[in-house]
Amino acid sequence: LKMSTLKVNTIQNTSAAHSSTPEQIAQGRAKAWCHFTVSSGTPSIDDSFNISSITDNNAGDFTFNFATAMANTNYAPLSTSEVGSGNITTAQLVNGGSATASVRIQYFQIQTLDGGGNDVDPAAGAVAVFGD
């Protein structure tokens, strides 16, 4: 099997209505993403790209390990989680941009608008990482 390289300056759809440079495509797509579920306190990957595993640090505290490390620490991770009954669960970044091989995210359940809450395992969630 022989591999080939295609080199172009612009990629365009067939009607010439939309075009992108290879740089725009490379910089604008997620470099890693993961959909996960948590059952009995154990996170598992349902589907992913460039996420090799999830480390369970504590309740609601997970490290998402990249199969291929990011080129630098200037990446932008985003996450969301399933809403619990009667509460709001929010994701907070623990080590965003401090490691190239993983990103650590905690999931916090807000119990009232006045405050209060604790780290909690969400039933499900998703993570996406953009950058180099």
Side-chain angles (χ1 to χ4, degrees):
L1 179 66
K2 189 171 182 173
M3 300 300 284
S4 297
T5 301
L6 178 63
K7 295 181 180 184
V8 298
N9 292 323
T10 303
I11 299 170
Q12 192 174 73
N13 70 347
T14 56
S15 65
H18 302 282
S19 62
S20 297
T21 66
E23 181 183 39
Q24 289 170 328
I25 293 169
Q27 291 296 317
R29 66 180 173 92
K31 297 302 188 292
W33 60 265
C34 171
H35 183 275
F36 66 96
T37 52
V38 182
S39 178
S40 302
T42 303
S44 62
I45 297 172
D46 300 320
D47 200 1
S48 69
F49 172 73
N50 197 29
I51 301 286
S52 59
S53 63
I54 303 172
T55 302
D56 188 354
N57 302 309
N58 210 336
D61 184 351
F62 305 119
T63 299
F64 297 86
N65 302 296
F66 304 136
T68 301
M70 301 299 286
N72 57 54
T73 58
N74 298 322
Y75 55 84
L78 309 165
S79 184
T80 187
S81 61
E82 188 174 296
V83 175
S85 60
N87 294 299
I88 299 169
T89 304
T90 185
Q92 63 184 23
L93 204 51
V94 175
N95 75 330
S98 66
T100 58
S102 64
V103 63
R104 185 174 172 188
I105 299 174
Q106 287 179 323
Y107 297 88
F108 187 78
Q109 188 175 54
I110 301 169
Q111 293 175 337
T112 68
L113 292 177
D114 295 332
N118 56 336
D119 289 338
V120 63
D121 287 338
V127 174
V129 181
F130 296 87
D132 292 329

Coordinates of all heavy atoms in Angstrom, one line a residue, residues 12-102:
Q12 N -12.9 23.6 -1.8 CA -14.2 24.3 -2.1 C -15.3 23.2 -2.4 O -15.0 22.2 -3.0 CB -13.9 25.1 -3.3 CG -15.0 26.1 -3.7 CD -14.5 27.0 -4.8 OE1 -14.5 26.6 -6.0 NE2 -14.2 28.2 -4.5
N13 N -16.5 23.5 -2.1 CA -17.6 22.6 -2.4 C -17.9 22.7 -3.9 O -17.4 23.6 -4.6 CB -18.8 22.8 -1.6 CG -19.6 24.1 -1.9 OD1 -19.0 25.0 -2.6 ND2 -20.8 24.3 -1.4
T14 N -18.7 21.8 -4.4 CA -18.9 21.6 -5.9 C -19.6 22.9 -6.5 O -19.4 23.1 -7.7 CB -19.7 20.4 -6.2 OG1 -20.9 20.4 -5.5 CG2 -18.9 19.1 -5.9
S15 N -20.4 23.6 -5.7 CA -21.0 24.8 -6.3 C -20.2 26.0 -6.1 O -20.7 27.1 -6.5 CB -22.4 25.0 -5.6 OG -22.2 25.3 -4.2
A16 N -19.0 25.9 -5.5 CA -18.1 27.1 -5.3 C -18.7 28.1 -4.3 O -18.3 29.2 -4.3 CB -17.7 27.7 -6.6
A17 N -19.7 27.7 -3.5 CA -20.3 28.6 -2.6 C -19.5 28.7 -1.3 O -19.6 29.7 -0.6 CB -21.7 28.2 -2.3
H18 N -18.8 27.7 -0.9 CA -18.1 27.7 0.3 C -16.7 27.1 0.1 O -16.5 26.2 -0.6 CB -18.8 26.8 1.4 CG -20.2 27.2 1.6 ND1 -20.6 28.2 2.4 CD2 -21.4 26.7 1.1 CE1 -21.9 28.3 2.4 NE2 -22.4 27.4 1.6
S19 N -15.7 27.8 0.7 CA -14.3 27.3 0.6 C -13.6 27.6 1.9 O -14.0 28.4 2.8 CB -13.6 28.0 -0.5 OG -13.5 29.4 -0.3
S20 N -12.6 26.8 2.2 CA -11.8 26.9 3.4 C -10.3 26.5 3.0 O -10.1 25.8 2.1 CB -12.2 25.8 4.4 OG -13.5 26.1 4.8
T21 N -9.4 27.1 3.8 CA -8.0 26.7 3.6 C -7.8 25.5 4.5 O -8.5 25.3 5.5 CB -7.1 27.9 4.0 OG1 -7.2 28.1 5.5 CG2 -7.4 29.2 3.3
P22 N -6.7 24.7 4.2 CA -6.4 23.6 5.1 C -6.1 24.1 6.5 O -6.4 23.4 7.5 CB -5.1 23.0 4.4 CG -5.3 23.3 3.0 CD -5.9 24.7 3.0
E23 N -5.5 25.3 6.6 CA -5.2 25.8 8.0 C -6.5 26.1 8.8 O -6.6 25.8 9.9 CB -4.4 27.1 7.9 CG -4.1 27.7 9.3 CD -3.4 29.0 9.2 OE1 -3.7 29.8 8.3 OE2 -2.5 29.2 10.0
Q24 N -7.5 26.6 8.1 CA -8.8 26.9 8.8 C -9.4 25.6 9.2 O -10.0 25.5 10.3 CB -9.8 27.6 7.8 CG -9.4 29.0 7.5 CD -10.3 29.6 6.4 OE1 -10.7 28.9 5.5 NE2 -10.5 30.9 6.5
I25 N -9.3 24.6 8.4 CA -9.9 23.3 8.8 C -9.1 22.7 10.0 O -9.7 22.2 11.0 CB -9.9 22.3 7.6 CG1 -10.9 22.8 6.5 CG2 -10.3 20.9 8.0 CD1 -10.8 22.2 5.2
A26 N -7.8 22.7 9.9 CA -7.0 22.1 11.0 C -7.2 22.9 12.3 O -7.2 22.3 13.4 CB -5.5 22.1 10.6
Q27 N -7.3 24.2 12.2 CA -7.4 25.0 13.5 C -8.8 25.0 14.0 O -9.0 25.3 15.2 CB -6.9 26.4 13.2 CG -5.4 26.6 12.9 CD -4.6 26.2 14.2 OE1 -4.9 26.5 15.3 NE2 -3.6 25.4 13.9
G28 N -9.8 24.8 13.2 CA -11.2 24.9 13.6 C -11.9 23.6 14.0 O -13.0 23.6 14.5
R29 N -11.2 22.5 13.9 CA -11.9 21.2 14.3 C -11.4 20.8 15.7 O -10.3 21.2 16.1 CB -11.6 20.2 13.3 CG -10.1 19.7 13.2 CD -9.9 18.6 12.1 NE -8.5 18.4 12.0 CZ -7.9 17.4 12.6 NH1 -8.5 16.7 13.5 NH2 -6.6 17.2 12.4
A30 N -12.2 20.0 16.3 CA -11.8 19.5 17.6 C -10.7 18.5 17.5 O -10.7 17.7 16.6 CB -13.0 18.8 18.3
K31 N -9.7 18.7 18.3 CA -8.5 17.8 18.3 C -8.7 16.6 19.2 O -8.0 15.6 19.1 CB -7.3 18.5 18.8 CG -6.9 19.7 17.9 CD -6.6 19.3 16.5 CE -6.1 20.3 15.6 NZ -6.9 21.4 15.3
A32 N -9.8 16.7 20.1 CA -10.2 15.5 20.9 C -11.6 15.8 21.3 O -12.0 16.9 21.5 CB -9.3 15.4 22.1
W33 N -12.4 14.7 21.5 CA -13.7 14.8 22.0 C -14.1 13.5 22.6 O -13.5 12.4 22.3 CB -14.7 15.3 21.0 CG -14.9 14.4 19.7 CD1 -14.2 14.6 18.6 CD2 -15.7 13.2 19.6 NE1 -14.6 13.5 17.7 CE2 -15.5 12.7 18.3 CE3 -16.5 12.6 20.5 CZ2 -16.1 11.6 17.9 CZ3 -17.2 11.4 20.0 CH2 -17.0 10.9 18.7
C34 N -15.1 13.5 23.5 CA -15.5 12.3 24.1 C -16.9 12.4 24.7 O -17.3 13.5 25.2 CB -14.5 12.0 25.3 SG -15.0 10.7 26.4
H35 N -17.7 11.4 24.5 CA -19.0 11.3 25.2 C -18.8 10.2 26.2 O -18.3 9.1 25.8 CB -20.2 11.0 24.2 CG -21.5 10.9 24.9 ND1 -21.9 9.8 25.6 CD2 -22.4 11.9 25.2 CE1 -23.1 10.0 26.2 NE2 -23.4 11.3 25.9
F36 N -19.2 10.4 27.4 CA -19.0 9.4 28.5 C -20.2 9.3 29.3 O -21.1 10.1 29.4 CB -17.8 9.8 29.3 CG -18.0 11.0 30.1 CD1 -18.4 11.0 31.5 CD2 -17.7 12.3 29.6 CE1 -18.6 12.1 32.2 CE2 -17.9 13.5 30.3 CZ -18.3 13.4 31.7
T37 N -20.3 8.1 30.0 CA -21.3 7.9 31.0 C -20.7 7.4 32.3 O -19.5 7.0 32.3 CB -22.4 6.8 30.6 OG1 -21.6 5.6 30.1 CG2 -23.2 7.3 29.4
V38 N -21.3 7.6 33.4 CA -20.8 7.2 34.7 C -21.8 6.2 35.3 O -23.0 6.6 35.5 CB -20.6 8.4 35.6 CG1 -20.0 7.9 36.9 CG2 -19.7 9.4 34.9
S39 N -21.4 5.0 35.6 CA -22.3 4.0 36.2 C -21.6 3.5 37.5 O -20.5 3.1 37.5 CB -22.5 2.9 35.3 OG -23.3 1.9 35.9
S40 N -22.3 3.6 38.6 CA -21.8 3.2 39.9 C -20.4 3.8 40.2 O -19.5 3.2 40.8 CB -21.7 1.7 40.0 OG -22.9 1.1 39.8
G41 N -20.3 5.1 39.9 CA -19.1 5.8 40.1 C -17.9 5.6 39.2 O -16.8 6.2 39.4
T42 N -18.1 4.8 38.2 CA -17.1 4.5 37.2 C -17.4 5.1 35.8 O -18.4 4.8 35.2 CB -16.9 3.0 37.0 OG1 -16.6 2.4 38.3 CG2 -15.7 2.7 36.1
P43 N -16.5 6.0 35.4 CA -16.7 6.6 34.0 C -16.3 5.7 32.9 O -15.3 4.9 33.1 CB -15.8 7.9 34.1 CG -14.7 7.5 35.0 CD -15.3 6.6 36.0
S44 N -17.1 5.7 31.8 CA -16.7 4.9 30.7 C -16.9 5.7 29.4 O -17.8 6.6 29.3 CB -17.5 3.6 30.6 OG -18.8 3.8 30.5
I45 N -16.1 5.5 28.4 CA -16.2 6.2 27.2 C -17.2 5.5 26.3 O -17.1 4.3 26.0 CB -14.8 6.3 26.5 CG1 -13.8 7.0 27.3 CG2 -14.9 6.9 25.1 CD1 -12.4 7.0 26.8
D46 N -18.2 6.3 25.8 CA -19.2 5.8 24.9 C -18.7 5.9 23.4 O -18.9 5.0 22.6 CB -20.5 6.5 25.0 CG -21.1 6.3 26.4 OD1 -20.9 5.2 27.0 OD2 -21.6 7.3 27.0
D47 N -18.1 7.0 23.1 CA -17.5 7.3 21.8 C -16.5 8.4 22.0 O -16.7 9.3 22.9 CB -18.6 7.7 20.8 CG -18.2 7.6 19.4 OD1 -17.1 7.1 19.1 OD2 -19.1 7.9 18.5
S48 N -15.5 8.4 21.1 CA -14.4 9.4 21.3 C -13.5 9.6 20.1 O -13.5 8.7 19.2 CB -13.6 9.1 22.5 OG -12.8 7.9 22.3
F49 N -12.8 10.6 20.1 CA -11.7 10.8 19.2 C -10.5 11.4 20.0 O -10.7 12.4 20.7 CB -12.1 11.8 18.0 CG -10.9 12.2 17.2 CD1 -10.4 11.3 16.3 CD2 -10.3 13.5 17.3 CE1 -9.3 11.7 15.5 CE2 -9.3 13.8 16.5 CZ -8.7 12.9 15.6
N50 N -9.4 10.8 20.0 CA -8.2 11.2 20.6 C -8.3 11.2 22.1 O -7.5 11.9 22.8 CB -7.6 12.5 20.1 CG -6.2 12.7 20.4 OD1 -5.4 11.8 20.6 ND2 -5.8 14.0 20.6
I51 N -9.2 10.6 22.7 CA -9.3 10.4 24.2 C -9.1 8.9 24.4 O -9.9 8.1 24.0 CB -10.7 10.8 24.8 CG1 -11.0 12.3 24.5 CG2 -10.7 10.5 26.3 CD1 -10.2 13.3 25.3
S52 N -8.0 8.6 25.1 CA -7.6 7.2 25.3 C -8.2 6.5 26.5 O -8.5 5.3 26.5 CB -6.1 7.0 25.3 OG -5.6 7.7 26.4
S53 N -8.4 7.4 27.5 CA -9.0 6.8 28.8 C -9.5 8.0 29.7 O -9.1 9.1 29.4 CB -8.0 6.0 29.5 OG -6.9 6.8 29.9
I54 N -10.2 7.6 30.7 CA -10.7 8.6 31.7 C -10.1 8.1 33.1 O -10.4 7.0 33.4 CB -12.2 8.8 31.8 CG1 -12.8 9.1 30.4 CG2 -12.6 9.7 32.8 CD1 -14.3 9.1 30.3
T55 N -9.4 9.0 33.8 CA -9.0 8.7 35.1 C -10.0 9.3 36.1 O -10.4 10.5 36.0 CB -7.6 9.3 35.4 OG1 -6.7 8.8 34.4 CG2 -7.1 9.0 36.8
D56 N -10.5 8.4 37.0 CA -11.5 8.9 38.0 C -10.7 9.3 39.3 O -10.2 8.5 40.0 CB -12.4 7.7 38.4 CG -13.5 8.1 39.3 OD1 -13.6 9.2 39.7 OD2 -14.4 7.2 39.5
N57 N -10.6 10.6 39.4 CA -9.8 11.2 40.6 C -10.6 11.2 41.9 O -10.0 11.0 42.9 CB -9.3 12.6 40.3 CG -8.5 12.7 39.0 OD1 -7.6 12.0 38.8 ND2 -8.9 13.6 38.1
N58 N -11.9 11.4 41.8 CA -12.8 11.5 42.9 C -14.2 11.7 42.4 O -14.4 11.8 41.2 CB -12.4 12.6 43.9 CG -12.7 12.4 45.3 OD1 -13.5 11.6 45.6 ND2 -11.9 13.0 46.2
A59 N -15.2 11.8 43.3 CA -16.5 12.0 42.8 C -16.6 13.3 41.9 O -16.1 14.4 42.4 CB -17.5 12.2 44.0
G60 N -17.0 13.2 40.7 CA -17.2 14.3 39.8 C -15.9 14.9 39.4 O -15.9 16.0 38.8
D61 N -14.8 14.2 39.5 CA -13.5 14.8 39.2 C -12.7 13.8 38.3 O -12.3 12.7 38.7 CB -12.7 15.0 40.5 CG -11.3 15.6 40.3 OD1 -10.9 15.8 39.1 OD2 -10.7 16.0 41.3
F62 N -12.6 14.2 37.0 CA -12.1 13.2 36.0 C -11.0 13.9 35.2 O -11.0 15.1 34.9 CB -13.2 12.8 35.0 CG -14.4 12.2 35.6 CD1 -15.6 12.8 35.5 CD2 -14.3 11.1 36.4 CE1 -16.8 12.3 36.0 CE2 -15.5 10.5 37.0 CZ -16.7 11.1 36.8
T63 N -10.0 13.1 34.8 CA -8.9 13.5 33.9 C -9.1 12.7 32.6 O -9.2 11.5 32.6 CB -7.5 13.2 34.5 OG1 -7.4 13.9 35.7 CG2 -6.4 13.6 33.5
F64 N -9.3 13.5 31.5 CA -9.4 12.9 30.2 C -8.1 12.9 29.5 O -7.4 13.9 29.3 CB -10.4 13.8 29.4 CG -11.8 13.8 30.0 CD1 -12.1 14.7 31.0 CD2 -12.7 12.8 29.6 CE1 -13.4 14.7 31.6 CE2 -14.0 12.8 30.2 CZ -14.3 13.8 31.2
N65 N -7.6 11.7 29.3 CA -6.2 11.5 28.7 C -6.2 11.4 27.2 O -7.0 10.7 26.6 CB -5.6 10.2 29.3 CG -5.6 10.2 30.8 OD1 -4.9 11.0 31.4 ND2 -6.4 9.4 31.5
F66 N -5.4 12.2 26.6 CA -5.3 12.2 25.1 C -4.4 11.1 24.6 O -3.4 10.8 25.2 CB -4.6 13.6 24.7 CG -5.3 14.8 25.2 CD1 -4.6 15.9 25.6 CD2 -6.7 14.9 25.1 CE1 -5.2 17.0 26.1 CE2 -7.3 16.1 25.6 CZ -6.6 17.1 26.1
A67 N -4.9 10.5 23.5 CA -4.1 9.4 22.9 C -2.9 10.1 22.2 O -1.8 9.5 22.3 CB -4.9 8.7 21.8
T68 N -3.0 11.2 21.6 CA -1.9 12.0 21.1 C -1.9 13.4 21.8 O -2.9 14.1 21.8 CB -2.0 12.3 19.6 OG1 -2.1 11.0 18.9 CG2 -0.9 13.1 19.0
A69 N -0.8 13.7 22.5 CA -0.8 15.0 23.2 C -1.0 16.2 22.4 O -0.7 16.2 21.2 CB 0.6 15.1 24.0
M70 N -1.5 17.2 23.0 CA -1.6 18.5 22.3 C -0.2 19.1 22.1 O 0.7 18.8 22.9 CB -2.5 19.5 23.2 CG -3.9 19.0 23.5 SD -4.9 18.7 22.1 CE -5.3 20.3 21.6
A71 N -0.1 19.9 21.1 CA 1.2 20.5 20.7 C 1.7 21.5 21.8 O 2.9 21.7 22.0 CB 1.2 21.2 19.4
N72 N 0.8 22.2 22.5 CA 1.1 23.1 23.5 C 0.0 23.2 24.5 O -1.0 22.5 24.4 CB 1.5 24.5 22.9 CG 0.3 25.0 22.1 OD1 -0.8 25.2 22.6 ND2 0.6 25.4 20.8
T73 N 0.1 24.1 25.5 CA -0.9 24.2 26.5 C -1.9 25.3 26.3 O -2.7 25.6 27.1 CB -0.3 24.4 27.9 OG1 0.5 25.6 27.8 CG2 0.6 23.3 28.3
N74 N -1.9 25.8 25.1 CA -2.9 26.9 24.7 C -4.1 26.4 24.0 O -4.6 27.0 23.1 CB -2.2 27.9 23.8 CG -1.0 28.6 24.5 OD1 -1.1 28.9 25.7 ND2 0.1 28.8 23.8
Y75 N -4.7 25.3 24.5 CA -5.9 24.7 23.9 C -7.1 25.1 24.7 O -7.0 25.7 25.8 CB -5.8 23.2 23.8 CG -5.5 22.5 25.2 CD1 -6.5 22.2 26.0 CD2 -4.2 22.1 25.5 CE1 -6.3 21.6 27.2 CE2 -4.0 21.5 26.7 CZ -5.0 21.2 27.6 OH -4.7 20.5 28.7
A76 N -8.3 24.9 24.1 CA -9.5 25.3 24.8 C -10.4 24.1 25.0 O -11.1 23.7 24.0 CB -10.2 26.4 23.9
P77 N -10.5 23.6 26.2 CA -11.4 22.5 26.5 C -12.8 23.0 26.9 O -12.9 24.0 27.6 CB -10.7 21.8 27.6 CG -9.9 22.8 28.3 CD -9.6 23.9 27.3
L78 N -13.8 22.3 26.5 CA -15.2 22.6 26.8 C -15.9 21.3 27.3 O -15.5 20.2 26.8 CB -15.9 23.1 25.6 CG -15.3 24.3 24.8 CD1 -16.0 24.4 23.5 CD2 -15.4 25.5 25.6
S79 N -16.8 21.5 28.2 CA -17.5 20.3 28.7 C -18.9 20.6 29.1 O -19.2 21.8 29.5 CB -16.8 19.6 29.9 OG -17.4 18.4 30.2
T80 N -19.8 19.6 29.0 CA -21.1 19.7 29.5 C -21.5 18.4 30.2 O -20.8 17.4 30.0 CB -22.1 20.0 28.3 OG1 -23.4 20.3 28.9 CG2 -22.2 18.9 27.3
S81 N -22.6 18.5 31.0 CA -23.0 17.2 31.6 C -24.5 17.2 31.7 O -25.2 18.2 31.6 CB -22.4 17.2 33.0 OG -22.8 18.2 33.8
E82 N -25.0 16.0 32.0 CA -26.4 15.7 32.1 C -26.9 16.4 33.4 O -26.3 16.3 34.4 CB -26.7 14.2 32.1 CG -28.1 13.9 32.1 CD -28.3 12.4 32.0 OE1 -27.9 11.8 31.0 OE2 -28.9 11.8 32.9
V83 N -28.1 17.1 33.3 CA -28.6 17.8 34.4 C -29.3 16.8 35.3 O -30.0 15.9 34.9 CB -29.7 18.8 33.9 CG1 -30.4 19.5 35.1 CG2 -29.0 19.8 33.0
G84 N -29.0 16.9 36.6 CA -29.6 16.0 37.6 C -31.0 16.5 37.9 O -31.4 17.6 37.6
S85 N -31.8 15.7 38.6 CA -33.2 16.0 38.8 C -33.3 17.2 39.9 O -32.8 17.0 41.0 CB -34.0 14.8 39.4 OG -33.4 14.3 40.5
G86 N -33.8 18.3 39.5 CA -34.0 19.4 40.4 C -32.8 20.2 40.6 O -32.8 21.1 41.4
N87 N -31.7 19.9 40.0 CA -30.4 20.6 40.3 C -29.7 20.9 39.0 O -30.0 20.3 37.9 CB -29.4 19.7 41.1 CG -30.0 19.5 42.5 OD1 -30.2 20.4 43.3 ND2 -30.2 18.2 42.8
I88 N -28.7 21.8 39.0 CA -27.9 22.1 37.9 C -26.5 21.6 38.1 O -25.9 21.8 39.1 CB -27.9 23.7 37.7 CG1 -29.3 24.2 37.4 CG2 -27.0 24.0 36.5 CD1 -29.4 25.7 37.5
T89 N -26.0 20.9 37.1 CA -24.7 20.4 37.2 C -23.8 21.2 36.2 O -24.2 21.3 35.0 CB -24.6 18.9 36.9 OG1 -25.5 18.2 37.8 CG2 -23.2 18.4 37.0
T90 N -22.7 21.7 36.7 CA -21.8 22.5 35.8 C -20.4 21.9 35.8 O -20.0 21.3 36.8 CB -21.8 24.0 36.3 OG1 -21.1 24.8 35.4 CG2 -21.3 24.1 37.7
A91 N -19.7 22.1 34.7 CA -18.4 21.6 34.6 C -17.4 22.8 34.9 O -17.6 23.9 34.4 CB -18.1 21.1 33.2
Q92 N -16.4 22.5 35.6 CA -15.3 23.5 35.8 C -14.0 22.9 35.5 O -13.7 21.8 35.9 CB -15.4 24.0 37.3 CG -15.1 23.0 38.3 CD -15.3 23.6 39.7 OE1 -15.9 24.6 39.9 NE2 -14.6 23.0 40.7
L93 N -13.2 23.7 34.9 CA -11.9 23.3 34.4 C -10.9 23.3 35.6 O -10.8 24.3 36.3 CB -11.4 24.2 33.4 CG -10.4 23.8 32.4 CD1 -10.7 22.5 31.7 CD2 -10.2 24.9 31.3
V94 N -10.1 22.2 35.8 CA -9.2 22.2 36.9 C -7.8 22.5 36.4 O -7.1 23.4 37.0 CB -9.2 20.8 37.6 CG1 -8.1 20.7 38.7 CG2 -10.5 20.5 38.2
N95 N -7.4 21.9 35.4 CA -6.0 22.2 34.9 C -6.0 22.6 33.4 O -5.0 22.3 32.7 CB -5.1 20.9 35.1 CG -5.4 19.9 34.0 OD1 -6.5 19.8 33.5 ND2 -4.4 19.1 33.7
G96 N -6.9 23.4 33.0 CA -7.0 23.8 31.6 C -5.7 24.5 31.2 O -5.3 25.5 31.8
G97 N -5.1 23.9 30.2 CA -3.9 24.5 29.6 C -2.6 24.3 30.4 O -1.6 25.0 30.1
S98 N -2.7 23.4 31.4 CA -1.4 23.2 32.2 C -0.8 21.9 31.9 O 0.3 21.6 32.3 CB -1.7 23.3 33.7 OG -2.5 22.2 34.1
A99 N -1.4 21.1 31.1 CA -0.8 19.8 30.7 C -1.1 19.5 29.2 O -2.2 19.9 28.7 CB -1.4 18.6 31.5
T100 N -0.2 18.9 28.5 CA -0.4 18.6 27.1 C -1.0 17.2 26.9 O -1.5 16.9 25.8 CB 0.8 18.8 26.3 OG1 1.8 17.9 26.8 CG2 1.3 20.2 26.3
A101 N -0.9 16.3 27.8 CA -1.3 14.9 27.7 C -2.7 14.6 28.2 O -3.2 13.6 28.0 CB -0.3 14.0 28.4
S102 N -3.3 15.6 28.9 CA -4.6 15.4 29.5 C -5.3 16.7 29.9 O -4.6 17.7 29.9 CB -4.5 14.5 30.7 OG -3.8 15.1 31.7

